[in-house]
Structures are given as structure tokens and as C-alpha cells.
Amino acid sequence: MQLVIMAAGMGSRFGGLKQMEPMDDYGNFLLDYSIYDAKRAGFNSVIFIIKKEFYEAFRETIGKRVENIIKVEYAFQELDDLPEGFQVPEGREKPWGTAHAIYSARKLIKEDFIIINGDDFYGEETYKVAYKYLKELPEGARGKYANVAFEVQNTMTENGAVKRGVAFEDNNHFLTKLVESSIEKVDGKIMASPLDGSTPFGVTPDTPVSMNLFCFNVDLLEYFKEDFPRWLKDNINVPKSEYLIPSVVDDMVHQGRATLKLLSTPSVWFGVTYKEDKPGVVKALAELTAQGAYKKGLY
């Protein structure tokens, strides 16, 4: 099974290419911990989705370090990687979004896979949960997706708003609705403001949210072939429009094209959304290493 890592963002709020920020005394990045955890869970290859202009620096600082322990491939998320008949509008600079990131890796994805953010720490048990789910699917499964969800209270930062997919589920923990939102505390309450501009709503601390750790079958790529051009027709001239994984999954569920199981994990999430988040992440990783969860230096 393949691990696909979205690492194309510059991290404007963080102030640099945050995927290349060392997070321990050994020069390891959050990406190193993700690959380490995924490898010991059973994943045997990784696809990095990056910007082409960062390839040399990325491979020198991260890629070469893990090439000896796992198969490594690179996909480039570029603005002009669009279906035939579409061109990048003049002045467009913003990337096309997380679903487009997967689309950009379409030639490399050959089997069931998970997708993760490059600047998030999900924890060892999370990868075990994801691997077990995919491993137990029947061969050739289609539209049997899953998301390893975290409680929203465990995914926030004191340094500003965060982007999360608010998940609504039925009694069997299957997704009924996924709303990509900006989330922050307002007057002591956790408020979600949908990115589509609809009315903000309050959520409880234990509300499950997506951190973009999805388990997918390869049929998702077939859906992109028909859906991405349709989305572009409606949104290509909207400067800040994004083709997002939660929106695609929500559409597929409502069309009956897929089901999505919400999986729980005992792992604690943390990440670097803002520069001020880094000290807390460094401390947490050091504590996990001291407890024996990770070897000193990892590799």
C-alpha cells in the first residue's frame, strides 16, 4: 500500500517551507516521523507531492534520507496541470487544492493508498488503524473509503484559526456530511466557519474532524476524470477557489458513489500551522522519544 504525502505548500503563515523545519535534535522533520510510523505499520512506498521548483532541496533534505528504507517517488503539483481544454487564468497564483494534489499524483498511484498532510503528526497507532482498514478490504474494492478522525479539541492551536473538515456521522460511524471549515475559539466556544461561505456553526469539543488522513481505493482517480473538469467549469475564474478532498468525498457519498467510514485513533495529533506552534511540537516529540515511542534519531 502507498503513502501519499501532500507537501507542496510554502506555509505562508509559518513563514517558510515548514515541511523542512527540523523538529528534534537530530534534524528530523515531521515528515520523517510520518514515514517512520507508516513504514512500521506496513506501508511500503511513499509519494511526495511537492512543487517542481523545490525538488532538489526537498530530495536533498528529506528524500535521500528515507530512500534506503522505503520506495520514494515524486509528483509535482503545478498550476498548469489541468485537463485538456483548460488553461490557468491570468493572475492565478493559489494552488488548486488538496484534491488537485492527489490528481497530480495520478500516474504514480497504483493501489489502495492513504493521503496525509506533510506538516501534521498523526501518531503510530493512526497508521496502524489506516493500514488495517485497507488490508481487510476485499481485493478490487471500490468506493470503500475511510477517514481517521480526531476530536476537534485535540487539533486546535492557540495561535489562530485552523482548517478542518467537520464530520457528521450516522449510528454506524459512516459519514453523512463533511464540511470543510475554518475553526477557532470565539468567546469560549468552538466555532466552524464553512469555507463555502455558509452560516458558521458551533461544535462540541469531541466533534470528529478530518485532518486529511483518508484511506482511498484507486477508483477515486476515475472520479477525478469526470469531476475535476466539471468543477473547473464552475470555479476556474474564482481566484481563491480550491478543489478540496472533503468536498469531493462529500459529493461522492451523496451521489452514492462511495461510503466513508470514520475511524478513531488513540494517537494524539499535533502540527505546525503557525511558527509559534513549533516549540510545543518539539517538546511533544522529545517526550515521546523519552518514553520509548521512537528511537533517538529515528533512522
Side-chain angles (χ1 to χ4, degrees):
M1 274 178 270
Q2 294 175 290
L3 167 68
V4 181
I5 302 179
M6 295 182 291
M10 276 296 293
S12 58
R13 289 174 297 182
F14 184 73
L17 190 58
K18 56 187 172 181
Q19 290 85 356
M20 293 187 185
E21 276 286 318
M23 294 292 164
D24 61 22
D25 293 336
Y26 305 92
N28 290 310
F29 312 102
L30 284 181
L31 279 173
D32 289 297
Y33 285 87
S34 294
I35 294 167
Y36 185 87
D37 284 337
K39 179 70 165 57
R40 59 180 173 173
F43 293 90
N44 54 20
S45 71
V46 58
I47 299 170
F48 291 117
I49 301 174
I50 62 175
K51 287 185 177 180
K52 188 178 295 184
E53 66 226 60
F54 298 144
Y55 170 71
E56 292 297 336
F58 194 97
R59 184 166 184 264
E60 287 296 321
T61 54
I62 295 177
K64 282 187 176 180
R65 184 155 54 198
V66 299
E67 286 174 357
N68 292 331
I69 67 167
I70 195 169
K71 179 182 177 182
V72 176
E73 296 179 285
Y74 297 89
F76 303 121
Q77 185 177 14
E78 300 294 313
L79 277 179
D80 60 0
D81 185 8
L82 298 174
E84 186 176 353
F86 292 93
Q87 293 184 331
V88 180
E90 185 176 352
R92 173 85 189 199
E93 296 182 358
K94 190 175 183 64
W96 293 110
T98 52
H100 178 258
I102 300 178
Y103 175 84
S104 70
R106 61 194 179 279
K107 295 180 181 179
L108 300 177
I109 297 173
K110 306 295 184 183
E111 55 190 341
D112 290 349
F113 65 99
I114 66 169
I115 183 87
I116 67 168
N117 294 329
D119 52 1
D120 288 332
F121 175 91
Y122 298 94
E124 178 187 3
E125 292 300 320
T126 299
Y127 292 94
K128 289 181 178 179
V129 168
Y131 183 85
K132 182 176 184 293
Y133 174 80
L134 290 176
K135 188 72 173 179
E136 293 180 350
L137 289 177
E139 187 175 351
R142 297 173 60 86
K144 302 296 183 183
Y145 306 158
N147 178 274
V148 185
F150 291 76
E151 293 184 359
V152 66
Q153 65 183 342
N154 295 329
T155 73
M156 301 183 69
T157 171
E158 297 297 324
N159 299 307
V162 292
K163 188 186 295 183
R164 305 287 183 253
V166 180
F168 298 86
E169 59 185 333
D170 63 19
N171 293 332
N172 295 314
H173 302 295
F174 280 97
L175 182 83
T176 58
K177 189 176 184 180
L178 190 59
V179 182
E180 187 77 343
S181 306
S182 176
I183 296 177
E184 61 183 326
K185 283 188 178 180
V186 179
D187 297 327
K189 297 180 180 179
I190 303 176
M191 298 298 297
S193 300
L195 299 187
D196 64 4
S198 54
T199 304
F201 58 93
V203 296
T204 59
D206 61 351
T207 296
V209 295
S210 164
M211 298 302 303
N212 274 342
L213 198 160
F214 286 92
C215 305
F216 286 124
N217 313 124
V218 291
D219 69 299
L220 176 67
L221 303 177
E222 297 175 15
Y223 183 76
F224 283 158
K225 289 180 182 179
E226 62 181 83
D227 186 63
F228 189 33
R230 183 167 56 233
W231 182 88
L232 285 169
K233 287 179 181 178
D234 295 333
N235 297 280
I236 194 168
N237 291 313
V238 180
K240 294 186 177 182
S241 58
E242 291 184 86
Y243 189 50
L244 300 172
I245 296 170
S247 300
V248 169
V249 170
D250 189 60
D251 288 344
M252 293 185 74
V253 168
H254 283 92
Q255 293 170 25
R257 301 280 292 267
T259 58
L260 185 132
K261 184 83 170 182
L262 288 174
L263 309 174
S264 60
T265 173
S267 294
V268 175
W269 170 93
F270 50 83
V272 181
T273 303
Y274 300 92
K275 196 166 188 175
E276 293 78 8
D277 295 331
K278 181 179 176 179
V281 172
V282 171
K283 180 181 178 182
L285 289 174
E287 290 175 351
L288 286 170
T289 300
Q291 294 165 10
Y294 297 96
K295 294 188 299 183
K296 292 183 178 181
L298 289 182
Y299 308 118

